Structure formats: structure tokens, C-alpha cells
Amino acid sequence: MGCTIIGCGKALPALEVANDDLAKLVETNDEWIVTRTGISSRHIAVDETGTDLAEAAARAALGWSPDGWCEASLAPEDIDLVIAATFTSDALVPSAAGLLRERLGLENAIAFDLNAACTGFVYALTVAETMMAASAAGFPGAAGRNPIRRALVVGSERLTHVTDWADRSTCVLFGDGAGAAVVEWDEARPGILASFILNTTDDTGALSCPHAFDAPVPFDADGVAPALLDGAGNVPYATMPPASHADDAHVAALQEPPLQTVYMDGQKVFKFATEAMTEAIHRVLERSGVALEDVACIVPHQANERIIKYAAKKLGLPLDLFQLSIANVGNTSAASVPMALADAYAAGRIKRGDKVIMVAFGGGFTSGAVLFEA
Ligand code: ACO
């Protein structure tokens, strides 16, 4: 018995931007980006909200649209839990999961968000499984009015809206999208065989998006600071810089637009990523007792094709065991693994009974893997 994936789907924004187009913004070229990352184009949400993308991916996973893979179409009342993995939700409140629950009319579902950066979907699936297992065991702490038997787990990001479009070392990497999976507690199928999630200290801030939610306040360390108000007595809408007194620089900085972009030390992240991926894969194999040679498909976080190639080499595995989906989507953070999973199902790579590993790493640092039987 276990938490079994019974549907998955993905959604991308309409606008696709090729590498050559980015060369109009920053000094770069198609050859550099393809060789270093495996990315040729990415999709950018101009008109779509995160909720729009998550909704389209969820509809495909639920069998409400023909775009996904699904074993059985469910009714809205069948869903007991929605977890959205994201760090770029449309609003802080309501949560992305709450907005999705409303859009889809999932009246019975409890809904909340989870931020574990690019590992978010692996964390969310692990939390969903744990809640389902607790519920199946009759644990009274399990939330909601109903036992949790079916969950919608979504990874959705609009990363291009926290991208520094003047920084060529990051802006060529990111894209927007959403992926979703429907999971069901099935007494007759093993489903998830093992999970492993881990945080590792990122002591140099190698991967961060530091200025989120910095609404300015008219106070400094000494108390009320009227100088921080504009001429009309209002707090100017801008990012609060880390200053402790109302000097001119502080006031000037308050006039700047919010700086809410991803910073990344690419080489540090690269090194962390390859180690974290191989450890997570070994851990879920150990925990499940499954042999590496019995794994039919590995669905990794699509951050950089070179990272996947490097990990394959380190594990002594052929590259064709790995689902590669990065070429036309880029790095979509928490959406990356469920979108790649949807691609693997759509391509017929995952069949009933196959052992499959999903593995990811990201800011925090977070990392993890889920090994499941399809
Ligand atoms: N076009 C052309 N040249 C570039 C570009 C670009 N877009 N970006 C950087 N360069 C230059 C650099 O300036 C540098 O030039 P220099 O030698 O004159 O100084 C040169 O290319 C090499 O730069 P490196 O940073 O050493 O390039 P590297 O081979 O390490 O590739 C990359 C960079 C692709 C970012 C790689 O380090 C990487 O993929 N790291 C991991 C990223 C990752 O996995 N992120 C996941 C998490 S993201 C998240 O959680 C939101």
C-alpha cells in the first residue's frame, strides 16, 4: 500500500524566447548558452499568472483536459489536499494552493504552500505522502474534515519575474511553467517506496533571492523616522535597505524599485548540485532496497544539462536513463521535476510497475529524491 501517482500534467506560458532574443538584452550568444546549459529557449509568463499555469497543469493531471497523463479522472470533491511548491506565488495571501483550490472548486481540500526552492516538488510530495500515511493509520492529527486519500501536488513558478535581466550569468537560465501530479493512497499498490529530503547550510548565500517582502516602514533603530515618509506623508513603495538610520542614502534607496531577484554563484551551486543529486539517489535506493539497475527512469531537476550529465557519469549510468526536458523550458525551479515527469509519462517512458526516481536540488540549500513504483 502506498501513495501512488495516478495523473500528471504541465503547462507553459505562450511566449517562447530563444537564446538569440536574449542576445538583444545582454552580451551572450546561442552557442554559449547551449554548450554550458543545454537550454535553447524558455517560456516567459507575460499574460499568465502563476495560478493560470498551475490550473492548466492541474486540469491535465486530473484528467479534466486532454493534455496530461492520467489513470482515472477525479471529481473536485475527491481531492482532500492541495500543496503548491513555489517561491514566486501570485500573492503572499491567499496561498498559491488556496487560489488553485478556489479555481478548481476543490471544496473538500485543505491547501497550503511550501517553499523549498527547486526541490519544492520533492518536498511537497514527501509531505503529502506523510499526511496520507498518517491519515490511513488513523492518526487523529491528520488535518481536514476528511481522511486524506487523494492529493494534488503542484510545482509552479514565474521565475522570470525574480530574474535580473541585466545579469547574463542568471537570466539565460530561468523560465516559467507549472507541473502537477495527482496522488492517491492505494491499499493494493506500493506507490512511493522511499523519500529523502535534506537541508545543507549555504553559508555564502550562493543561491538566494534576498529582498522579498520588504515593504518599507517609517521606523529606524531609534524609533519613528518621519524622514522616511515622502512629501505627502506616505511611505514610498520600495525596498527597505539594511540601514539603521534615516540618512540621505537610506531615503534615496527607498525610492528605488523593489530588488527581488535571484542571485547565484553558479560554480558553487554546480558543485553542490552534483554531490546532492548522487547522495539523494543513493539514499532512496538504500531505504527502499531497490537496486540501481532496476530503476527504469530518473527524472532530475532540470537546472543545467551538464549537471545531469555529470551526475550520470558519477553514478555510472547511461544518460538515456535520465529524462532531459530542459532544452525548451530552462530552469523552472519547483515546476521543473513535475513538468519533466509529465514529459516522461507523455513519451511513454514510464509504465505500470516501473521503478522511477525523481531527484532535485535548490536554494536553501535543499535536496532530495523520491523513488516510486508506477
Ligand atoms: N553568455 C556568455 N558568457 C557568459 C554568460 C552568458 N550568458 N554567463 C557567464 N558568462 C561568462 C562569464 O562571465 C565567464 O567569463 P570570464 O571567464 O571572462 O570571467 C565565463 O562565461 C565562464 O563563466 P562561469 O560562471 O565559469 O561558467 P560556467 O561554466 O560555470 O557556467 C552556469 C555557468 C551555467 C551558471 C553553471 O555554473 C551552472 O549551471 N551552475 C548551476 C546553476 C544551477 O544549477 N542552478 C540551480 C538552482 S537555480 C534556483 O534554485 C532558482
Side-chain angles (χ1 to χ4, degrees), residues 66-67 122 124 144 161 172 184-185 233 240 249 282 298 316 335 343 346 350 360:
D67 305 328
V122 167
H161 295 256
V172 301
E184 177 175 57
W185 188 264
M240 174 62 89
H282 282 307
I298 298 180
D343 288 344
I350 301 177

Side-chain angles (χ1 to χ4, degrees), residues 323 341-351:
Q323 175 65 35
L341 184 71
D343 288 344
Y345 270 106
R349 290 192 66 169
I350 301 177
K351 302 193 178 52

Side-chain angles (χ1 to χ4, degrees), residues 178-222:
V182 177
V183 286
E184 177 175 57
W185 188 264
D186 190 328
E187 298 296 334
R189 291 168 75 180
I192 292 176
L193 300 171
S195 301
F196 172 73
I197 52 176
L198 185 76
N199 277 64
T200 308
T201 304
D202 174 11
D203 50 9
T204 60
L207 191 45
S208 51
C209 186
H211 289 286
F213 321 133
D214 279 349
V217 293
F219 303 96
D220 61 19
D222 298 323

Side-chain angles (χ1 to χ4, degrees), residues 27-314:
E27 205 184 318
T28 190
N29 57 76
D30 180 60
E31 204 247 325
W32 191 97
I33 303 171
V34 171
T35 316
R36 301 285 180 129
T37 70
I39 300 167
S40 295
S41 64
R42 71 288 295 144
H43 290 251
I44 296 185
V46 178
D47 290 328
E48 301 89 348
T49 64
T51 312
D52 294 335
L53 297 172
E55 180 188 357
R59 285 184 179 278
L62 287 159
W64 299 356
S65 81
D67 305 328
W69 168 86
C70 110
E71 287 186 353
S73 183
L74 298 178
E77 58 272 21
D78 293 333
I79 300 296
D80 308 304
L81 168 69
V82 183
I83 307 181
T86 183
F87 75 95
T88 54
S89 51
D90 291 343
L92 278 181
V93 177
S95 65
L99 289 169
L100 183 59
R101 176 189 171 281
E102 268 177 40
R103 278 276 184 100
L104 296 172
L106 308 177
E107 291 295 329
N108 290 334
I110 53 166
F112 62 90
D113 290 359
L114 181 157
N115 173 3
C118 305
T119 323
F121 183 78
V122 167
Y123 272 59
L125 205 52
T126 304
V127 171
E129 186 213 8
T130 308
M131 291 180 75
M132 285 174 147
S135 196
F139 178 56
R145 288 197 198 103
N146 302 320
I148 297 169
R149 289 194 55 83
R150 294 184 195 89
L152 173 64
V153 182
V154 176
S156 175
E157 302 282 16
R158 294 203 317 156
L159 272 197
T160 65
H161 295 256
V162 290
T163 293
D164 179 349
W165 289 102
D167 175 11
R168 67 176 181 173
S169 68
T170 54
C171 76
V172 301
L173 303 174
F174 302 134
D176 302 330
V182 177
V183 286
E184 177 175 57
W185 188 264
D186 190 328
E187 298 296 334
R189 291 168 75 180
I192 292 176
L193 300 171
S195 301
F196 172 73
I197 52 176
L198 185 76
N199 277 64
T200 308
T201 304
D202 174 11
D203 50 9
T204 60
L207 191 45
S208 51
C209 186
H211 289 286
F213 321 133
D214 279 349
V217 293
F219 303 96
D220 61 19
D222 298 323
V224 175
L228 294 179
L229 302 175
D230 66 13
N234 299 314
V235 178
Y237 179 74
T239 298
M240 174 62 89
S244 62
H245 58 280
D247 58 16
D248 287 349
H250 192 183
V251 174
L254 277 171
Q255 314 300 329
E256 296 295 316
L259 178 64
Q260 204 165 273
T261 55
V262 171
Y263 164 79
M264 187 176 71
D265 178 338
Q267 289 183 2
K268 271 212 171 108
V269 177
F270 197 105
K271 187 168 178 295
F272 163 74
T274 50
E275 285 166 9
M277 266 175 83
T278 46
E279 178 182 5
I281 289 173
H282 282 307
R283 294 277 183 165
V284 288
L285 290 169
E286 263 164 38
R287 286 182 178 181
S288 62
V290 171
L292 190 51
E293 51 273 23
D294 292 332
V295 173
C297 180
I298 298 180
V299 181
H301 171 40
Q302 314 281 318
N304 182 331
E305 200 171 276
R306 279 196 301 144
I307 293 178
I308 300 172
K309 285 182 174 160
Y310 193 88
K313 204 168 155 198
K314 235 173 142 183

